[in-house]
Amino acid sequence: MEKSSQTLLVVVLLVVAGQIDSRNLGEVDLSNEEAMSQLLDQIDATRIGNFIENMTLHPRNTQSDWMGEKEETVKQMFKDFGMDVITKKYKVLQCFPKDVDPSLTEVLNAAGDVVETYREDGNKAERILPAFNAWSKSGTVEGEPVYVNYGRKEDYDYLTKDLGMDLTGKIAIARYGKIYRGDKSKFAKQNGMIGVIIYMDAKDYAPEGVDRMPDGPALPETGIQRGTLKDGLGDPSTYLYPSTKYAYHDSPEEYQSRLPGIVVMPINFKNALPLLASLDGDEVKDEWQGAGSETLLKYKYGPGFKNGSNKKKLRITVNLEYRMVEIENIFGVIKGQQEPDRWVMMGNHRDTWVHGAVDATTGLAALNEIGHGLFKLREQGWKPRRTIVLASWGAEEQGIIGSTEFVEDYMTLLQEKMVAYINVDVAASDQKYFKPSATPNFRPLLERAAKQAGAPLDSTYGTFYEQWDTLTKEEHPELTAPKIGDLGSGSDYAAFINMAGVSCIDLTIVGPYYTYHTEYDNYHYLSNYADPGMKGTKAVAEVAAVILLELASEKLVPLDASSYSNYVNNKISSSTLEEDLAANDIDYGILKKSLAKFVENAREYEDSRSKLLEDKSRKQMDMRRFNDQMLQMERSFIYPPGLPNRPQNRHILIAPSILNSYSGSVFPGLFDSLTLAKEIDTDENWNQVKKQLTIAAWVTKAAARSLSSEVFPN
């Protein structure tokens, strides 16, 4: 008899004798290293492609008839993986185009008659909704058009301050890109404009030399980007509390103040060209120039149409209906064996604007692969130390609604039990740039995961980690390590970090994503151009698998306090904050001392934790204490009242930028108030700077204290 057979016989006899619990065989036969290797081996590119192709046959917006079918698919998927399936339903406000009275863009002559009409009707046969921007104000507005470039704050400042243009009562024509579309409309409203048209300029989405779909990846002229405009998270009718079945929902008069309050209409490039070609005014500066056409060699600012033209005004009509819709979050749960009350969650949203092959079915495929791999491990008796939760969120696209309602609903439990949240929305829109974003304590774990992932996506590199490191340093030569971005508010991690103070990571590979939120984001685009062979999606699934398994299995939670404290300290030290405060007689010292203490305590914590790892006689309670300190460090940055005028953003260190909600900023309350005070020099504004400085110093000291073993640390 071979040695392996002898070992198996002994184990079986011990089980029969009751000396070994058969439920714990995984601990005997499968180490964490072996489990990791086997989990990575299970991730399969062919299965990823087949899964995405099947899931993207039909549109999956929250109104779609096919959404219910895919919900059942996800539930069955988790059941097939042997997981406990839990669902949480919420009744939330959503908005959709009306079946009658379509939204229109019209050009009027001097008499007010319509001379041109543009409609974006979708495709009823394929059940593709007419193009719309969720949460636009409904109604009709008329005014002179003005080209505003990307509609950024600096673009509006250039028009009003440098060119001296009065934008009051005008209609903006903005191209998509650079910032969140909701901020484009916000800045337009702040400048007195009454409407916005947004289009996808070929310069950004169909650059010269790139063939258009289906012959190449570039966007056809008829492509239209859908998307939400809402500032803030979740159901606007249940602000700061969940949309449970017993919830009170605000009236339209109450929730309208939380919506953009301006008429916004997306149109395609084909329809935008004649509008742009008819504008009056000076030619735009070079950086504002778009792709144009044979009849549009140079864009102009406006305002208004050319003299002598029969075009005098632009009219936008938007007809959206708001209605209550039941949405569902679906969870697959594997109970932890030693620490079932500590949760590690990985999530992805299920809804899409149209077919959504890249956004977000690549992420759902990664979730499916990891669930499949965990099932194979459990067949061998393996069990995680902590509870694993795979989450399929509903209604992300209209404003991160499903995950936010869940976080609001389970806030207390999440703050007590949640170890970390892993988000995979767009796993891969290309195969080049790995651009993860995370709370800073993820860095060592993320780098280890990238080194353990499969082969690089480009054969000129030795490893996936090397590709990430090299390409990001080419873009940011000042960096000494691969770049990890700051978390903003672009996906389902937002409520976890901003409201509950849960450490988060968002994983994605990016590149030219020409079909974003359009009807052309389909399986043909993904499989032929964005991610051929599904190599990018597979790589992200592998990175996520390593992170998930380490968080769920290692006795000491593999997050790093020193990476966090050093990041914050370096970010502040490299800014002009100290000089700006000193110039206005404000003492920077209170934050400087808190940062120094945070760095010191984090270093001591990591030193003590390293010794604990080496101590063979270590006690469970010691490890539990160290793990709890790590979780509480993140929670320490939560300030319940939130940032100024942004009560949902309670994390004082990490929050979306007020200039672009897609990107994050560090101590945004402090830096935003400082920017405002420098622009508008008033005592009130400088007092707000002092207040935000105090809050920043206080929460930083709280984070430092959370890492101390003293009873009442300084």
Side-chain angles (χ1 to χ4, degrees), residues 16 20 77 107 155 166 168 198 222 305 371 380 393 440 562 580 609 628 644:
V16 173
I20 294 181
M77 179 178 87
V107 179
D155 295 331
D166 182 3
T168 305
I198 319 181
T222 53
F305 293 109
Q380 301 177 61
W393 304 114
S562 285
D580 289 337
R609 197 165 71 142
D628 286 351

Side-chain angles (χ1 to χ4, degrees), residues 1 133 169 206 215 329 450 473 583 641 695 713:
M1 184 181 290
N133 286 128
D215 301 318
N329 296 325
K473 285 179 182 175
I695 294 170

Side-chain angles (χ1 to χ4, degrees), residues 607-671:
D607 289 344
S608 298
R609 197 165 71 142
S610 296
K611 292 175 183 176
L612 183 61
L613 279 170
E614 297 167 1
D615 184 2
K616 301 301 182 183
S617 63
R618 57 183 179 263
K619 297 178 181 178
Q620 293 289 337
M621 286 305 298
D622 288 334
M623 292 188 289
R624 180 79 166 196
R625 174 171 60 83
F626 272 82
N627 288 340
D628 286 351
Q629 284 179 283
M630 177 62 71
L631 307 189
Q632 289 307 313
M633 180 193 71
E634 192 76 75
R635 316 285 196 261
S636 299
F637 287 105
I638 292 294
Y639 175 56
L643 296 173
N645 303 313
R646 293 197 284 169
Q648 284 186 320
N649 296 118
R650 299 166 183 161
H651 200 293
I652 294 301
L653 179 66
I654 298 171
S657 165
I658 59 170
L659 300 180
N660 178 14
S661 295
Y662 281 153
S663 66
S665 58
V666 173
F667 286 129
L670 175 58
F671 281 95

Side-chain angles (χ1 to χ4, degrees), residues 466-486:
E466 183 184 332
Q467 180 173 334
W468 171 34
D469 185 35
T470 303
L471 291 178
T472 55
K473 285 179 182 175
E474 285 179 3
E475 188 177 350
H476 303 279
E478 74 281 4
L479 296 178
T480 58
K483 181 175 175 57
I484 300 173
D486 297 325

Side-chain angles (χ1 to χ4, degrees), residues 502-701:
V502 172
S503 294
C504 294
I505 186 167
D506 183 59
L507 302 172
T508 185
I509 297 173
V510 303
Y513 184 7
Y514 299 124
T515 65
Y516 177 58
H517 281 190
T518 74
E519 63 271 37
Y520 296 99
D521 181 4
N522 53 32
Y523 185 70
H524 175 82
Y525 174 79
L526 174 68
S527 59
N528 285 279
Y529 309 117
D531 192 18
M534 305 300 144
K535 293 191 297 182
T537 301
K538 182 176 184 288
V540 166
E542 289 171 346
V543 172
V546 174
I547 293 171
L548 178 69
L549 205 65
E550 280 208 32
L551 287 169
S553 301
E554 294 297 328
K555 291 182 178 179
L556 286 175
V557 171
L559 298 175
D560 192 86
S562 285
S563 294
Y564 208 125
S565 63
N566 290 334
Y567 171 83
V568 178
N569 189 54
N570 293 340
K571 196 84 169 179
I572 299 301
S573 299
S574 62
S575 72
T576 60
L577 178 64
E578 184 170 7
E579 294 85 345
D580 289 337
L581 294 176
N584 291 277
D585 297 322
I586 300 174
D587 182 17
Y588 167 73
I590 59 172
L591 179 56
K592 187 175 184 179
K593 291 176 183 176
S594 293
L595 287 168
K597 193 65 177 174
F598 188 22
V599 171
E600 177 187 346
N601 285 11
R603 183 175 61 249
E604 292 176 355
Y605 167 86
E606 290 298 340
D607 289 344
S608 298
R609 197 165 71 142
S610 296
K611 292 175 183 176
L612 183 61
L613 279 170
E614 297 167 1
D615 184 2
K616 301 301 182 183
S617 63
R618 57 183 179 263
K619 297 178 181 178
Q620 293 289 337
M621 286 305 298
D622 288 334
M623 292 188 289
R624 180 79 166 196
R625 174 171 60 83
F626 272 82
N627 288 340
D628 286 351
Q629 284 179 283
M630 177 62 71
L631 307 189
Q632 289 307 313
M633 180 193 71
E634 192 76 75
R635 316 285 196 261
S636 299
F637 287 105
I638 292 294
Y639 175 56
L643 296 173
N645 303 313
R646 293 197 284 169
Q648 284 186 320
N649 296 118
R650 299 166 183 161
H651 200 293
I652 294 301
L653 179 66
I654 298 171
S657 165
I658 59 170
L659 300 180
N660 178 14
S661 295
Y662 281 153
S663 66
S665 58
V666 173
F667 286 129
L670 175 58
F671 281 95
D672 290 348
S673 62
L674 180 60
T675 299
L676 180 61
K678 289 164 70 175
E679 287 183 359
I680 307 175
D681 187 359
T682 65
D683 288 343
E684 181 182 2
N685 286 341
W686 284 109
N687 286 338
Q688 183 62 244
V689 173
K690 295 174 185 176
K691 180 177 180 178
Q692 292 304 314
L693 178 66
T694 299
I695 294 170
W698 167 53
V699 296
T700 304
K701 182 171 283 189

Side-chain angles (χ1 to χ4, degrees), residues 9 12 15 70 117 125 141 159 176 261 269 313 325 327 431 441 463 469 473 506 577 585 593 598 677-679 689 691:
L9 178 60
V12 171
V15 170
K70 298 310 178 187
T117 300
V141 293
L159 290 171
Y176 271 112
F269 187 51
K313 281 191 176 182
V325 174
I327 64 168
Q431 294 184 348
N441 49 354
T463 64
D469 185 35
K473 285 179 182 175
D506 183 59
L577 178 64
D585 297 322
K593 291 176 183 176
F598 188 22
K678 289 164 70 175
E679 287 183 359
V689 173
K691 180 177 180 178

